[in-house]
Amino acid sequence: MIEITPVTSVTAEVNVPGSKSYTHRLLIAAALAEGRSTIENMLESEDTLLTLTALERMGVVTAVEGGRRVVNGTGGRLTAGDTIHLGNSGTSVRLLTAVAALTDGITVLTGTPRMQERPVADLLDGLRQIGVSAVSLAGNGCPPIQVDGAPLAGGVVNLKCGVSSQYLSGILLIAPLSADGVEIRILEGPVSKPYIDMTVDVMARLGIAVEREGYERFFVPGRQAYQAGDYRVETDISNASYFWAAAAVTGGRVKVRGVSRDSRQGDIRLLDCLERMGCAVHPDGDGIAVSGGRLTGISVDMSDIPDMVPTLGVVAAFADGVTEIQNVAHLRAKECDRLAAVATELSKMGIDARCTEDGLRIKGGVPQAAVIDTYNDHRIAMAFSVAGLKTQGVRILGEACVEKSFPTYWEAFGTLYVNAD
């Protein structure tokens, strides 16, 4: 357990590591390329290392040279990985379930008890439509998943993406290695659209052609080859969010280096939310700074930026009026039920917070001391650490869960105190 020390105001410049989402995708694309790639600024966290280790189990050789990750691609010729444990990394399970279709045998992908409750049935259905043998061993549409790899013919997929956009991303990533190409028609969703854009962006950077009609139809021609090369992971905006939130709740100013509003990471939209609530956003040379102001509640659809809900929820607790967060029902299937977690922990702090049918309703006030349960969810831990900058007596249980996406979080958080009032 860690207790957060309050400050009057923060003034800081912060470095945040590489994007978790881009790291997963670049690792997979480089593994499927023919030849040697280097990845600079790769995030080395619990989740991304699970993906890396799984790829190594599938025959990909990697190394570290000069601070960069070297990936010796296989051209899509992967070996069966037997049983691979992927913790509670939903991204790893969903993307690698698709990748396992390219192996030469049977691979079982499993994870923690919580991971074994997280749905992938729509992904399995999509894979089966293009001839992949992929089944839930428990018969409930959740891991453990058994995939029997074989040459990928391709075809048409009618895919539901109302729970996760990663179902689409997984199939997109393997589609170039099919014989006949893959057409994907979206029947439901997709949620979290910016993550699809990131997948297509990575594929384009490695030389893959993708035809698309918005988010309704995608076609990836077959018999393509990912191009090996030197690639860089941009700064993780999801993890930058906590430092901008720190400026918002304390009325201070925090700059995160290495980010741009042109980023394809959808979570950059948090800045729009903070501006609407009363903050000022300043592009500042090599980064973006946020200055806090008097906060007011807003109504916002966060279906495309669900990871930002805990962050905005904490900021909303310090705002005047009511904040309504909408269209994020899919957050119930994350590392924990994030809607229930945010509402419960804010309620502990004396804030009127409740779940709605598809989101949260938070009435701002004066948060009080509380012991925060993180539910072993990194985003709950990091979001509620921000509350402790303004409220005396906020203690975070299970603070080590930040290892999942930001192993150096508490060190970076400490920089907020260097010039604090």
Side-chain angles (χ1 to χ4, degrees):
M1 182 169 60
I2 186 172
E3 182 165 352
I4 310 300
T5 302
V7 296
T8 303
S9 179
V10 295
T11 302
E13 294 192 7
V14 182
N15 291 313
V16 173
S19 162
K20 181 164 78 78
S21 298
Y22 267 115
T23 295
H24 283 297
R25 287 158 174 79
L26 275 169
L27 282 172
I28 290 170
L32 298 180
E34 188 80 67
R36 182 181 188 272
S37 295
T38 65
I39 302 176
E40 183 180 358
N41 201 39
M42 170 186 151
L43 173 66
E44 297 210 6
S45 70
E46 181 179 295
D47 277 14
T48 59
L49 292 176
L50 285 168
T51 290
L52 178 69
T53 300
L55 291 169
E56 290 174 338
R57 292 276 300 277
M58 295 179 184
V60 180
V61 177
T62 79
V64 177
E65 294 180 6
R68 298 183 181 189
R69 176 65 59 170
V70 175
V71 179
N72 294 288
T74 65
R77 297 177 296 276
L78 301 171
T79 58
D82 297 321
T83 297
I84 300 176
H85 197 287
L86 294 167
N88 197 17
S89 177
T91 305
S92 302
V93 166
R94 290 162 181 159
L95 299 186
L96 292 170
T97 292
V99 171
L102 302 174
T103 67
D104 60 1
I106 293 174
T107 301
V108 174
L109 301 106
T110 189
T112 63
R114 174 60 180 171
M115 189 69 248
Q116 294 177 34
E117 298 172 348
R118 299 178 69 180
V120 292
D122 292 331
L123 170 60
L124 302 182
D125 178 63
L127 289 170
R128 286 192 290 267
Q129 291 176 51
I130 51 174
V132 177
S133 174
V135 297
S136 164
L137 292 178
N140 61 356
C142 299
I145 303 301
Q146 179 174 297
V147 182
D148 191 349
L152 186 63
V156 178
V157 178
N158 294 298
L159 187 65
K160 292 181 180 179
C161 294
V163 173
S164 175
S165 66
Q166 292 167 353
Y167 306 157
L168 173 56
S169 288
I171 295 174
L172 283 171
L173 285 165
I174 65 170
L177 301 176
S178 66
D180 302 324
V182 177
E183 179 183 355
I184 307 168
R185 302 167 183 169
I186 305 304
L187 301 182
E188 181 182 291
V191 295
S192 306
K193 293 184 179 86
Y195 292 95
I196 299 166
D197 296 333
M198 277 192 263
T199 301
V200 174
D201 179 46
V202 167
M203 294 171 71
R205 287 169 64 184
L206 275 76
I208 298 297
V210 179
E211 301 171 18
R212 62 186 294 184
E213 296 172 10
Y215 298 94
E216 298 177 356
R217 176 185 173 276
F218 298 79
F219 177 68
V220 183
R223 302 184 189 278
Q224 297 190 72
Y226 282 98
Q227 296 174 3
D230 299 325
Y231 302 101
R232 178 177 173 81
V233 177
E234 64 179 67
T235 296
D236 193 303
I237 289 177
S238 306
N239 288 338
S241 74
Y242 310 108
F243 301 98
W244 290 327
V249 303
T250 68
R253 185 180 190 277
V254 179
K255 172 183 171 181
V256 178
R257 301 187 186 99
V259 295
S260 165
R261 271 193 124 149
D262 295 332
S263 173
R264 292 181 183 269
Q265 295 177 65
D267 290 345
I268 196 72
R269 278 189 48 216
L270 177 72
L271 295 174
D272 299 332
C273 299
L274 294 178
E275 284 182 314
R276 289 178 58 198
M277 297 181 84
C279 297
V281 176
H282 321 275
D284 187 3
D286 63 340
I288 297 176
V290 169
S291 297
R294 181 170 180 175
L295 299 172
T296 57
I298 60 173
S299 179
V300 58
D301 181 336
M302 299 186 75
S303 59
D304 286 343
I305 54 169
D307 284 348
M308 295 297 89
V309 169
T311 312
L312 193 72
V314 167
V315 174
F318 294 89
D320 296 330
V322 173
T323 294
E324 293 187 344
I325 298 172
Q326 302 159 351
N327 294 324
V328 288
H330 48 298
L331 276 179
R332 295 192 174 97
K334 291 284 190 175
E335 283 82 344
C336 69
D337 180 340
R338 285 185 180 159
L339 297 182
V342 171
T344 298
E345 301 312 306
L346 287 179
S347 296
K348 284 183 186 177
M349 299 184 75
I351 295 298
D352 181 357
R354 61 180 176 84
C355 295
T356 62
E357 182 177 349
D358 66 351
L360 290 166
R361 184 183 186 278
I362 300 165
K363 183 177 181 181
V366 181
Q368 305 299 310
V371 176
I372 302 300
D373 187 347
T374 61
Y375 308 87
N376 199 33
D377 189 323
H378 55 138
R379 304 229 176 268
I380 300 299
M382 291 186 280
F384 277 87
S385 69
V386 173
L389 293 170
K390 192 68 175 178
T391 299
Q392 183 77 42
V394 172
R395 290 175 287 173
I396 309 292
L397 291 173
E399 72 276 9
C401 64
V402 300
E403 296 281 340
K404 181 178 177 69
S405 66
F406 196 164
T408 58
Y409 177 72
W410 296 113
E411 178 183 340
F413 190 80
T415 66
L416 296 176
Y417 293 95
V418 174
N419 297 309
D421 296 333

